[in-house]
Each structure stands twice: as structure tokens, then as C-alpha cells.
Amino acid sequence: MTVLSDLPIEVLLDNLLPWLAIPDLIHLGQTDHFFARLCNDETFWKRKLEEDFNFTDERTARISGWKHLYRGLLNPKTYVWGETSKGRLGLRKIPSTTLRDVPYPVELQIKSGARIVSLSAAGWAFFALDSAGSVHVWGTLNGTSYALQHDGYSESAKPAHTPLRLDMPSPTRSISCGRLHATTLDDQHHVWTFLSWGRPFRLDTPALNATTLDSTPALVESGWNFSSVLTKSGDVYVWWPFSAPLKDVIAAQDVAMDAANQRAHATESGVIPCSTWELRQEPTMLPPLPQLPELPLGLAEPVKLVKLAALESRLIGLTNHGHVLSIPVESDVAVRSERWEYLPNFSEVDKVQQHPAYVSSQLKPPQSLRISHISAQFQTFVAYSPGSSSVILLGSHKTHANSNPLILPALQNNDVISVVLGDYHYGALTSTGKLLTWGEYSRGALGLGDPGQLPPGQPGGYGTEAHRSAAVANGGPYPPGISEPAEVSFGHGKAQRDKMFCFAIAAAGWHMGALVIDLEVRSRLTGF
């Protein structure tokens, strides 16, 4: 007699488990050791997260803990902190602090009760993606200008002081923010560019029509003034919406839509009805990769780009074998004469082992290396690998083939799965749910606490009691920055902090945000 456990594991994972309700999955996993292992399969829970919660986690190096996350995503919390201008934190009430900023995480309430699963930060704003594929925004997309009171969200400088939801044609799957704009990818493989929240355009081109692997977008990435897309075959396309000729086409479209009174005023229920349009323009295709060396942990499949990270005017690329490359993307004209430059000191284990940070200290060098993730913002980029022996390598817009990375010892071998970058502050997320920040105070963007309340000498605070007392009395100056990463606390006191698990972070400008699971609430809600 054939029993359920006699079926191939692939059949069970692909055709049985996905159809079971969560309580049934739990009960099945309690029947014997075979089903206990099967019902805890990491790949199954990762796939279930994407199917049930629109959660891809494509921007972190997370390799495990997917079931743990699934339980927490039933009730995630959104936290924001830092500079308050232009409505960028979306808070209805700004807490009273020593320096009149928000120097610690404050929970943001999303009016609709949406389950936020991804967060992205622009220069003065945030974009949040929920489990249904809806996008929520707050702050000001173009913080360099001003809008009138009666303007709609077709104006890029129109602020959203509290979160608003964008009404788009299809569910969104991923978001990438530049300084003044954002690029998104929806579930129809359509690529959208937002220069304002109310008037996004879809790039209509055969190059991205999703009819072949060459033309199917895999991910989008925004630089400060450009957008880019990586296709599933590894090709990269770039466009510059703030420069001619696109700038002129967009300006003409704005005039026509203004005349038609399509100004995207928010509704009383907090929704921006987006006036979408199509831009028929061929993006610029970047040149192919150069000949690259074989790396020890490379895959059997052909080398191709699988990730992008954008600086102010440069793209960092990562191959499926772990090669890190760089290319300037200043303009449509300039990029045609550029070529990808391979960065061996960010890719090869023997080069990393010879770095002064390992040679001249007790820091344990990696025995093997395959860079699996990259991130970038403004003038800094990061290349990193996951796991307990994680390697975190920092570069800049000036990095070239012979440049050595910056290595911060506190970040190495620390299970770091994500690194985000503001203008002058930085954050690293670990697989254990801890957020570490370092850099300049940046109007509270480090999130380490009110410097007027912190004990002198504590990270984020003042060096002496005299400096602290003077700041409390005078409302300044700001405390010094920190070079050693320090842990951010969500909630007050160690008991509360230990109950909180951070699973996603975002940073830009002088602000930061995080998505957090309350482990105690999770247990009560899920029962597993």
C-alpha cells in the first residue's frame, strides 16, 4: 500500500503542501520526523512568503529563517526616524526631543492597516510595498522645490504628510528609489518611472516587452538621476528621465495632462488615483561584460549579471559567479563609450585575504568567498556575502580595478544580510534581526536615542556631561558621529528590545526606516 511519504519529495512540496491551510501544515509536521523536516523546508517557506505576502526579499542576502518570517509577517510594524522636514517620516505627531528631530525609531501607523513587506527610501520620502502589491508613500518626492496648496500629486513637490496609497493598474512587485524619483516593477513585468506620485509613466519598448528572457525585466534599480533595468538574460538598459530627450517628452506630456485636468488629487480615503501614461522610447543598452576570470566558487552555468546597485551616476553589477563590476552612466551620450570594469579586490578571496584589515589585526580572513549581494546610494556601494563568516566590502564612486575596499571589522563574520546607505549614515541588518548603524548623526538618522538623554560616551550621545548639558540648554550642537556600528533599539528597555526582530531596512538622505516583528505578538497570533 502506498502511503503519503512514499511520494517524491518534489511532488509533496510542489503539489500538496502549497494547498494546505497553516493549521493543517502544522499538524502534518507533527506526525513524524519525515514530515517535520518536509514542513520546515526553507525553499517551501520562501516560496510561500512570495505567494501569500508578496515578499521576495530580493535586496538581502538572507539564506534561512523563512518560516520564522512567515509567522511574523502576519503583523509587521513600520518604524521611521531621522530628519523631519518635508513630511518625510509620515508621522502625525513628532515627538519632543532635545534637537527637534527624531533620533530613535517611532512606529508609523499606516491608515489602511496594510501589511507592509518592503520599504524603500528616496531623498525626502519613503515608498512602502504591502502584501497585496499596493504602494504607500509619504514625504515629498522632490524636496528641492515647492507645491501650492491646491496642487495635486501630479506635482513632484507636493508633500504627503501621512501615508497615502497609490492606485495603480497592477500589483507592484518591487521598488527602487533614486533621489528625486523611483522605478517599480509590477506583476505584468511592466516597468514604471515615478517623477511624481500621481503621474507615473510606463516604458513602452520592444526591449522590455517580456516576450523572451532577453526582454523580460528581472529587477529595477534607480540612481540619483537615472533608472535601469536588468533582464532575466543579464542585459542592462538605462534611461535618464531628467535629461533630454526624455525630459522634453515628459514636459510636453505634463502640459497635455494639466490641460486635461489630470492632476491626481488624493481622495478623502487616502488614495492617490494615478494618471498613468506610456512613454515610447528605446532605453540605452549597456555593453556586454568583459572577459572575466574563473572564480573558485563559480557556478557551472554561463556568467551573467544577476544584480545591480546604483550610485549617483554609476552602476555596480554582480554576476551569478560573484564578479563585482562598475560602469559610469553619466548620460546617454557618454555611456556609449564606456565599458564595464572588473573589480578583483571586491571579488577574489585571495585579494581580500591580503587586505590590511586582515593582515594587521586579529580579524579572521575568509577561507572562501562568493559575493552574493550589492547595494549602493549616492557615493558609496557595498558588496557582501552571507552567513556566519560574512564579508562586507565598502567602495565608492571613485573605486577602480586597483582600489582596495574599506573593511569595518565590526561588520565581518557577523551574519550581515543587508546594508543600506544614507548620505552620511549607514545601516547593517543581521540574520538574527539586529540593526546596526554608524556614520554621522544626520539629524537623528542613526536611531540610537535622544543624545540629550543618553549617558555621555554612549554611541549616539555626547562625549562629556558638559557637552550634553550645553546641548540640552541650547538645543545643540549635534553630537559627533560614530565609526563603530552600534545596535538600534526598537522599544524601551532590554526586555522590550529582545522581543523585536527587524527584517528589512531602508535609508537615504538623513532618514531611515525599518520593518519589525514583535515576537510576543507573533506567538499569540499564529500559535506556531
Side-chain angles (χ1 to χ4, degrees), residues 335-347:
V335 79
R336 296 179 189 277
S337 60
E338 299 289 357
R339 294 293 180 267
W340 288 98
E341 182 179 27
Y342 174 54
L343 305 178
N345 294 333
F346 288 77
S347 310

Side-chain angles (χ1 to χ4, degrees), residues 145-186:
S145 186
Y146 294 89
L148 300 176
Q149 185 75 25
H150 63 270
D151 284 335
Y153 284 98
S154 57
E155 288 294 329
S156 62
K158 175 79 170 180
H161 294 288
T162 55
L164 298 174
R165 181 174 64 83
L166 304 183
D167 185 12
M168 289 290 288
S170 297
T172 297
R173 290 293 174 251
S174 64
I175 304 168
S176 175
C177 290
R179 183 170 181 249
L180 302 165
H181 78 298
T183 316
T184 69
L185 180 64
D186 72 16

Side-chain angles (χ1 to χ4, degrees), residues 217-346:
L219 62 85
V220 291
E221 182 72 13
S222 299
W224 266 34
N225 60 2
F226 67 89
S227 292
S228 62
V229 62
L230 174 68
T231 70
K232 290 189 174 181
S233 65
D235 293 329
V236 181
Y237 293 91
V238 184
W239 58 103
W240 294 261
F242 299 103
S243 304
L246 262 61
K247 180 181 179 181
D248 300 331
V249 175
I250 294 166
Q253 181 70 21
D254 282 340
V255 170
M257 295 180 82
D258 285 346
N261 201 32
Q262 295 176 300
R263 298 182 183 273
H265 290 278
T267 67
E268 290 186 4
S269 58
V271 176
I272 298 175
C274 295
S275 299
T276 60
W277 60 285
E278 295 181 355
L279 176 60
R280 290 178 175 82
Q281 183 77 27
E282 289 304 307
T284 300
M285 185 179 182
L286 295 190
L289 296 175
Q291 188 70 33
L292 294 168
E294 188 173 322
L295 297 179
L297 297 181
L299 306 176
E301 59 195 46
V303 176
K304 69 173 183 177
L305 286 171
V306 291
K307 294 196 178 294
L308 296 176
L311 295 156
E312 183 178 11
S313 55
R314 180 176 288 269
L315 269 175
I316 305 299
L318 175 67
T319 74
N320 52 341
H321 288 230
H323 305 93
V324 180
L325 303 99
S326 171
I327 187 171
V329 286
E330 294 277 357
S331 68
D332 179 35
V333 175
V335 79
R336 296 179 189 277
S337 60
E338 299 289 357
R339 294 293 180 267
W340 288 98
E341 182 179 27
Y342 174 54
L343 305 178
N345 294 333
F346 288 77

Side-chain angles (χ1 to χ4, degrees), residues 20 78 100 145 176 184 201 245 269 277-278 320 334 354 425 463 500 516 524:
L20 297 180
T78 303
R100 296 176 298 281
S145 186
S176 175
T184 69
F201 65 82
S269 58
W277 60 285
E278 295 181 355
N320 52 341
Q354 295 165 20
H425 69 287
M500 309 301 271
V516 177
R524 292 201 304 269

